[in-house]
Structure formats: structure tokens, C-alpha cells
Amino acid sequence: MKRSPTDRFPLSLSLSHALSHRTRRGRRNLGLLATAVAVALTAFALSAPLRSPVRDLPYGQFRKRLAEGGVASARVGPTSIEGRLAPASPGAAPALYRVSRLGMEHDEDLIRLLEAHVPGGDYDAESAPSPAWAMALPTAMFLMMVAVLTLVVARSGGVGSPLAFGKGKARVYGADEARVTFESVAGHDEVVAELREVVDFLRTPGKFQSLGGRIPKGVLLVGAPGTGKTLLARAVAGEAGVPFFSLSGSDFVELFVGVGAARVRGLFARAQAKAPSLIFIDELDAIGKARGTGGSGGHDERDQTLNQLLVEMDGFDADRGVILLAATNRPETLDPALVRPGRFDRQVVVDRPDLVGREQILKVHSRVVPLADDLSLRQIAAMTPGFVGADLANLVNEAALLAARRGKDHVGRPEFEEGIERLIAGPEKRQRLLRPDEKARIAYHEAGHALVARSLPQTDPVHKVSIVGRGAAALGYTLYRPEDDRFLHTKTALENAICGLLGGTLAEEIALGEASDGCTSDLSRATEIASRMVLDFGMSPVLGRLRYGGDRDAARPGGPSAARGYSERTAREIDLEVRRIVDEAMAKARGILEARRDALDRLAARLIERETLNADDLDELLAD
Ligand code: ADP
Ligand code: ZN
């Protein structure tokens, strides 16, 4: 049977439907603000306790304690070191310390000691300040001149290698230092399972290939900030034992045209020299935004950088064992060229954690913290909907500091509660903590989709239902797993898909008295299916087995064939038919929801409690 590729209905893309956000941009700005507030709060929290119960240690003493394993964590700043001492006895409170040293030089030896003696690698080192202030200005001017010169050379087609630009910025972690494994990543079992394939490949590139495995070249991690994308990338490198080259998209965006492109070249050159290796580009959208979009000029630089990235991705030899991982929160803004086969053709969604996920993350981060016996991390997880991994890591830290300041030797529920209050002071976090009535509404909405889809034949099986927002776009979602990539859909399947899409709003209406505005994407999808049934698939008895509006697939956009090619009267009939199809689906979906009201309530209640349900949970809850 001849079929144009577009006849493959969008249905079988694993549809995640979305309660659309009204103010996406607003949220993003709020997000920035919240991050700033969170940073400020953390800084405050870290500095506040340093006033009293902090022990000032002389540097010599600190080194001695460190070598003896008496230091639990360390933050090495330009002029001071701060952190927690290991508790004197197993249940004792971890004491805070501070070592002041003006103009401390970057001490390789110190880093080695920290690596060897701080458990779990819980230390950071800021780069050392330049030896003297006076040096800074001349150095900056010198660098500027070099930059300009190189640029001139590069632009005039000269041979100067701008590789040096790539050197300064990338953070490189060797194969064995700062090793992170999947152990440190909690609550992302599905993602980890997918990334294991990448690990296998990096471990033995040759073997993988001889078995005919398709080598993944680029994997895109999609998820909100702080959900652990960087952590996952580092864990992949750590598990495979390969060097990890990491750069952020914003590092590429520079004032001078050509510098970003040179950095891309440099990064790939270095990674290939060390193959097998892993390259990680955070904030891919900063360079990967669709070309030719956005306001006034100045995009030349970004376009060049992006072009260079595409060239490198096509050019590098995947069998040498270089894999590219990138992270973004906005995959829809990426240039389509980036997500073509052979480039970032694999996307892995890194969700916000649900209740169980949050509990696991709390567990991972509180491994080194003495917890009170009566403390239930499950309860803490229940109090923190909307928190991502980074927030939870912060929370544990915060609670431990509070306990230390209070001279307690265990961290208990009061400290966690206070920590939560501090962390949600940011406006975005507070918004993310849904109001209970909204949570119930989203739960009924998603339960409605799931229940209707489950009750009808020929629908894609529901794989997961969640009221944990995914990315900026959705407050909740229902995921369907298309049955072995179905290519054709019967009339019944299409009608039932419409029923499922309408199930969300209808459930709100039935359970809560009225619908809300969180349904636009459902409605536009339902309408699209219904119109195509009438216009393209000849499924309306009134209009007959015709295709209306000509061959839209072949029509060039903006070309003359945009004309409809049918009469006003037919147009009206089409509208009525589309309306009839949707109305009939409404009635059918409503019937199901009313008949199975108990099941609807059960699903919604369980969703409110657990936040996500998988196929097994649904089986259990809908067993009647
Ligand atoms: P992203 O790259 O998605 O913005 P990160 O990987 O930088 O997020 O996460 C920041 C920190 O938050 C991590 O270093 C880790 O301490 C903590 N974190 C985030 N997600 C998780 C998780 N799933 N399990 C354990 N820790 C996590
Ligand atoms: Zn919906």
C-alpha cells in the first residue's frame, strides 16, 4: 500500500500530553531569580554558622588532621578553607572549621591530600587567584592582544592555530580523579539503563562494533536544571573509566567571531587525542539555537560555532571511542540539524524526581550525615514535591549545618523542616510546590487520560502517569508506549485516541465541577486528529471518501497551491463533521468516566500520594 510518510500519524510518537504553561518565559526568569536567591541563601547559610561554633584552625593543624582522615569536607577558596571535620566519635556532631590564609597559592599537593583523605571526594577548589593584583591588568591586556591577533590571522585565512583558546576553558577530569559512578545517581533507573550502553561502548569500542552494535554518537539529556544531567554524564565517564571533557554552551559564546568555533575544534581535538573519551556540553541551547532566529545581528558568531560543532560531529570517527553527551532544558529551540541522525539522534529525558526518587536522592546525600533514629526520609521526600536533585543535596547540607550550629549530634526532622523553609524562599520554588487544590486537579486530569485510554481498545498502552512537572512545558503527563511502532491506525483507533485526549478535561469536570485552562494541547491534538479524519482519510460518511484541500504534503509552503480547492459549503460541512467526531468522542469518554467513577477516584488519590504510577500500578488499581 502506498503511503506518504506524513500519513504516519503523530499518535504513535510516544505522546506526552501537556497541561500547557501560561507563562513560560516568566517562569524562566523566575527560575534565574530563584537560582540567585538559592545561591545567596546557601552562601548565607554557609557563612552564618561560621560566626560562632566554627573552629579556626591553623593551616599546619589542618594539613595534619587532613592526613589523619579527620576532615569530612572542604571548600578551598582563594584565601580560606572551610568545611566540616569528621565527628570525633561515631555519633558526635560534625564540627565546622575554617582555615584562613591570605594569598594562598594553588597547592597541587593540597589537592592530592584532599583527594586521598576526604571521603566521597567532598571537596571543591576554586582556582587560585593570580599571584598579585598588579599582574591582573597587564595579563588581561596581553590576552586581549593575543586574541585580536589570532583572530586577525584566523580571519585572513592564516595558519595560526587558535587551538589555545580551547585549552583554558574546558574542565577535564582524568580517568581516575574525581570518579563518579552510577552509585551516586539516585532515582534515574531508566536513564541509567539507557546510558549503560554508552558505557559498554566506551569500555570496549572495538568489541561493540564487531557485534554490530549501532554506535551512539551523540546523546542529548533533556531535563530541568539540577536534575542531575551533569552528574549522569560524569558517572558515564566514571563507569567507563575514560577522561571527561566538559564545557558549557555559554563558554562558547564569545565576543569575538571565530573564538567559539576555535574552542569547539580544540575540544574535539583534545578529546580525540585521548580517545576513548567523553565530551559533555552543558547548556547546548546556548550554541545550538536554530540558526537565523532571534533579534538583531551578532548571531554570526553563534552560527559559526554551531556550524563548527556540526562539522566536528560529522567528522569524528565514532569507532575511535569518542562520545558526545549534551544537556539542555529546551530541546525544542535546538537547530534541527543538531538532532538529525548521526548527530544528537538519541534523547533521554531526565525527569524531576517523584516521591520515591526524592527519597533515594536524600538517602544518597545523607550517607555521610548522622541522622536521628526517628527521622523518616520518606516523610522529608513527601514534604518536598518539586525539588530536584540539586535542591535535595542542598537541603541535606543545610540541615546538617543547622544541626551543627545547634550543637546536636544528629540531624533530625526539625532541621530538615527549617532547611525546606529556607530553600523554598525563592519565588519559583514556591510556585513549583503546587497548591493542594491544583495538585488534585492535575491528578484527576491525568487519571482521566489514563482511565479512558485504558478502557478502550486499540489505544496505545499507558506506560506512565505523572503529576511531577516535566520541563517547563508540562504540569503533568501521561506517557503511552506505542505498540510495536504501529504504522496504521484504524478509524476506531483514531476515535479512541480522541477520547483519551478529552479524558483529562472531562475528568476535571466530573470530579471537580468544572474544567480548567490546562488543556490546550489536548484539545489541539484532538482537533487535529478529527480534522485529518475528515480531510485526509475519508472517514466521514457525510463527506465521502475524498481527500480535501489537495496534496498538502507536496505543496510548497507559501506556494500558489495553498488555495483550498473546495467550496464554502463544503468548508462548513467539514467543520460540522469535525465537530461531530469530537462531540461523539466526548460523550463516549464521559460515559466511561462516569461509569468508572470509583476507579477514577482511586487513580487520582494514588497519584496525589505517589506522584507517578507505572503500568503495573495501573493494573493493580484497575483490577476490577
Ligand atoms: P544538572 O546538570 O541537571 O543541572 P547537576 O548534575 O549539576 O544537575 O546536579 C547538581 C547536583 O545535584 C549534583 O552534583 C548532585 O549532588 C545533586 N543531584 C542532582 N540530581 C541527583 C540525583 N539524581 N541523585 C543524586 N544527586 C543528585
Ligand atoms: Zn491533558
Side-chain angles (χ1 to χ4, degrees):
M1 189 187 321
K2 195 174 164 293
R3 231 172 350 96
S4 72
T6 38
D7 275 349
R8 190 175 163 182
F9 219 73
L11 265 179
S12 53
L13 305 175
S14 69
L15 325 157
S16 99
H17 104 287
L19 277 162
S20 54
H21 259 301
R22 271 153 277 168
T23 52
R24 289 178 80 168
R25 177 157 314 201
R27 289 230 165 170
R28 207 164 292 140
N29 290 341
L30 285 175
L32 282 179
L33 189 67
T35 315
V37 172
V39 168
L41 272 175
T42 315
F44 172 74
L46 284 171
S47 66
L50 294 177
R51 267 179 239 119
S52 45
V54 173
R55 292 180 49 182
D56 271 311
L57 282 183
Y59 187 62
Q61 275 241 7
F62 168 74
R63 295 267 304 224
K64 187 155 162 282
R65 272 183 177 258
L66 181 59
E68 288 163 353
V71 172
S73 71
R75 305 276 162 265
V76 182
T79 58
S80 67
I81 308 172
E82 296 170 2
R84 269 180 291 126
L85 293 171
S89 56
L96 300 169
Y97 70 86
R98 181 193 177 95
V99 182
S100 306
R101 231 186 108 187
L102 265 176
M104 198 160 55
E105 264 158 46
H106 209 56
D107 183 346
E108 287 291 315
D109 191 39
L110 175 62
I111 302 295
R112 221 168 302 125
L113 271 179
L114 288 169
E115 179 61 41
H117 296 292
V118 175
D122 190 7
Y123 69 86
D124 283 338
E126 270 174 44
S127 56
S130 51
W133 251 108
M135 285 291 289
L137 197 61
T139 312
M141 285 177 68
F142 175 71
L143 285 177
M144 285 266 283
M145 277 171 62
V146 174
V148 170
L149 273 176
T150 316
L151 207 71
V152 170
V153 176
R155 290 222 108 181
S156 58
V159 286
S161 157
L163 238 175
F165 286 107
K167 290 230 157 122
K169 284 259 186 166
R171 288 170 293 275
V172 183
Y173 303 86
D176 26 56
E177 56 186 304
R179 190 165 163 152
V180 178
T181 64
F182 287 141
E183 292 265 287
S184 352
V185 186
H188 288 317
D189 297 346
E190 286 178 33
V191 180
V192 166
E194 275 204 54
L195 292 177
R196 277 197 194 281
E197 196 180 318
V198 177
V199 173
D200 286 345
F201 169 69
L202 284 171
R203 274 198 192 134
T204 44
K207 182 182 142 220
F208 200 84
Q209 224 186 359
S210 63
L211 293 176
R214 198 178 76 84
I215 302 153
K217 214 176 204 184
V219 180
L220 192 59
L221 302 172
V222 178
T227 44
K229 298 181 293 300
T230 310
L231 187 69
L232 279 159
R234 288 188 64 186
V236 169
E239 291 276 339
V242 302
F244 176 69
F245 295 84
S246 137
L247 250 173
S248 172
S250 50
D251 294 344
F252 287 114
V253 181
E254 291 286 326
L255 199 58
F256 294 116
V257 174
V259 175
R263 280 210 176 112
V264 172
R265 254 193 319 271
L267 180 65
F268 276 80
R270 295 174 71 203
Q272 264 173 309
K274 293 256 179 180
S277 60
L278 185 85
I279 299 177
F280 176 63
I281 302 180
D282 205 355
E283 299 177 54
L284 180 66
D285 39 286
I287 35 171
K289 246 179 245 153
R291 279 165 292 191
T293 58
S296 58
H299 290 283
D300 208 21
E301 158 65 0
R302 210 182 55 205
D303 291 357
Q304 276 203 21
T305 310
L306 174 55
N307 286 335
Q308 188 64 39
L309 180 62
L310 296 173
V311 167
E312 296 290 344
M313 285 197 79
D314 293 343
F316 81 78
D317 218 358
D319 25 294
R320 298 216 20 221
V322 179
I323 289 210
L324 191 54
L325 248 56
T328 181
N329 190 25
R330 287 171 268 165
E332 70 283 353
T333 63
L334 293 181
D335 195 284
L338 268 175
V339 290
R340 247 175 237 146
R343 296 186 183 143
F344 288 106
D345 48 6
R346 207 177 292 185
Q347 290 202 8
V348 179
V349 177
V350 183
D351 275 326
R352 285 174 198 280
D354 63 1
L355 180 69
V356 177
R358 291 197 301 270
E359 185 185 0
Q360 285 167 352
I361 295 172
L362 285 168
K363 217 175 255 165
V364 165
H365 285 280
S366 55
R367 274 200 291 235
V368 290
V369 177
L371 297 179
D373 291 336
D374 60 346
L375 181 81
S376 145
L377 289 180
R378 169 62 67 106
Q379 277 172 11
I380 306 300
M383 289 156 67
T384 47
F387 274 40
V388 292
D391 300 328
L392 294 165
N394 254 343
L395 173 60
V396 172
N397 205 33
E398 189 89 345
L401 284 167
L402 279 168
R405 202 178 324 166
R406 289 169 183 169
K408 292 170 86 169
D409 49 11
H410 286 97
V411 186
R413 189 174 163 129
E415 285 78 37
F416 273 98
E417 279 175 358
E418 199 173 325
I420 293 170
E421 268 167 41
R422 287 181 173 215
L423 285 173
I424 59 176
E428 197 214 18
K429 293 279 166 47
R430 210 181 297 136
Q431 264 186 15
R432 269 206 244 142
L433 291 181
L434 291 172
R435 291 176 18 199
D437 57 327
E438 282 180 334
K439 198 170 168 180
R441 182 172 286 281
I442 297 168
Y444 268 105
H445 182 104
E446 301 302 333
H449 284 306
L451 184 58
V452 173
R454 274 251 167 175
S455 310
L456 290 170
Q458 296 190 40
T459 51
D460 288 326
V462 179
H463 157 59
K464 188 172 173 190
V465 189
S466 173
I467 58 169
V468 184
R470 166 172 274 190
L475 292 174
Y477 59 89
T478 301
L479 283 182
Y480 304 86
R481 173 161 288 165
E483 240 161 354
D484 4 291
D485 260 345
R486 216 188 298 163
F487 284 97
L488 296 173
H489 299 87
T490 62
K491 180 159 170 275
T492 313
L494 296 173
E495 282 165 359
N496 289 350
I498 300 176
C499 294
L501 285 165
L502 298 172
T505 10
L506 281 169
E508 288 183 51
E509 224 172 272
I510 290 169
L512 305 168
E514 57 184 352
S516 70
D517 61 354
C519 57
T520 26
S521 78
D522 293 342
L523 298 193
S524 49
R525 278 240 290 287
T527 313
E528 193 200 330
I529 298 178
S531 335
R532 293 204 63 187
M533 286 173 70
V534 176
L535 290 172
D536 295 338
F537 309 145
M539 287 177 178
S540 152
V542 176
L543 285 148
R545 198 135 298 181
L546 297 181
R547 184 140 189 234
Y548 289 89
D551 197 347
R552 285 195 305 267
D553 299 340
R556 266 176 296 118
S561 57
R564 285 197 300 238
Y566 47 80
S567 70
E568 278 301 317
R569 213 183 113 204
T570 310
R572 172 145 180 81
E573 277 176 348
I574 289 172
D575 289 343
L576 288 175
E577 273 299 277
V578 172
R579 173 75 194 265
R580 177 192 59 82
I581 292 174
V582 172
D583 282 350
E584 283 176 15
M586 278 269 273
K588 191 157 149 194
R590 184 187 294 279
I592 293 168
L593 290 171
E594 275 166 357
R596 304 191 71 183
R597 179 63 203 269
D598 283 355
L600 179 67
D601 290 337
R602 262 201 314 273
L603 279 187
R606 189 64 72 86
L607 264 177
I608 292 171
E609 182 197 334
R610 295 252 195 92
E611 299 170 18
T612 40
L613 300 177
N614 57 28
D616 291 341
D617 298 331
L618 291 173
D619 284 340
E620 186 205 313
L621 285 164
L622 301 178
D624 61 348

